[in-house]
Amino acid sequence: MTPASDLLTDQSLVARVLAGHTDDYAHLVQRHQSAVFAIAVRALGDRAGAADITQRTFIHAYDHLARFDEARDFVPWLNTIARNLVRDELRRLERQRRYLAYYRNVVAPDIAPAQSLEASEQELQRALESCLDRLHPNAAEVVRLYYDEGVSLAVAAQRLGRTMVATRQLLFRARLALRSCVELAGVWR
């Protein structure tokens, strides 16, 4: 940071960014990134995930800076954004864990009911992600909405602009395609 920017308060820097001096936002990032990173790493226990949350926090803050009340302190506002993003990430990770458990416990017995699962969770996760990427975009989206975001079929249907029946059929077909793909990948023998 330049010595002049060191003298400016957070509120002054925010005002300057909102006035069009967008380069001054870098001073806010430099000033607060270690504190935001500390919040994220404590909650996630993962430095890479914390770095991602830190970056997303500052992007979100920048995108919503016009909503910031300049009469308030910037740090609590920024920390709230970071905590909300951490909470969302923890929810996403939990959904992913449930998603993986579902396929391990429900889909796997359908594929090979008499065999035990020999694949590690990482192999299974990679296979599922790879297979999900191969699905038609609408099929992949309904799977993500239903399993990752945990939305109901009605909400998924609304987001996809489909009827409830068509969305249910799409999800059913996507599950079948994922089963076949994972089986072909050799994760379950």
Side-chain angles (χ1 to χ4, degrees), residues 57-133:
T57 297
F58 285 103
I59 291 169
H60 184 90
Y62 182 82
D63 289 343
H64 296 88
L65 202 56
R67 295 182 188 170
F68 173 65
D69 180 1
E70 294 179 51
R72 295 180 157 266
D73 191 12
F74 180 74
V75 172
W77 182 73
L78 185 66
N79 290 346
T80 298
I81 293 170
R83 283 190 300 274
N84 287 340
L85 289 172
V86 164
R87 187 186 65 236
D88 291 346
E89 179 65 7
L90 290 171
R91 286 181 183 158
R92 186 191 69 76
L93 291 171
E94 177 59 21
R95 281 190 304 268
Q96 187 177 45
R97 187 197 61 73
R98 285 193 322 262
Y99 179 60
L100 183 61
Y102 170 82
Y103 280 99
R104 228 181 325 119
N105 298 327
V106 176
V107 177
D110 288 347
I111 295 170
Q115 298 176 359
S116 64
L117 294 176
E118 297 177 10
S120 71
E121 286 190 17
Q122 288 180 347
E123 289 174 315
L124 179 59
Q125 183 64 38
R126 280 193 300 270
L128 284 171
E129 288 172 5
S130 175
C131 291
L132 195 58
D133 289 342

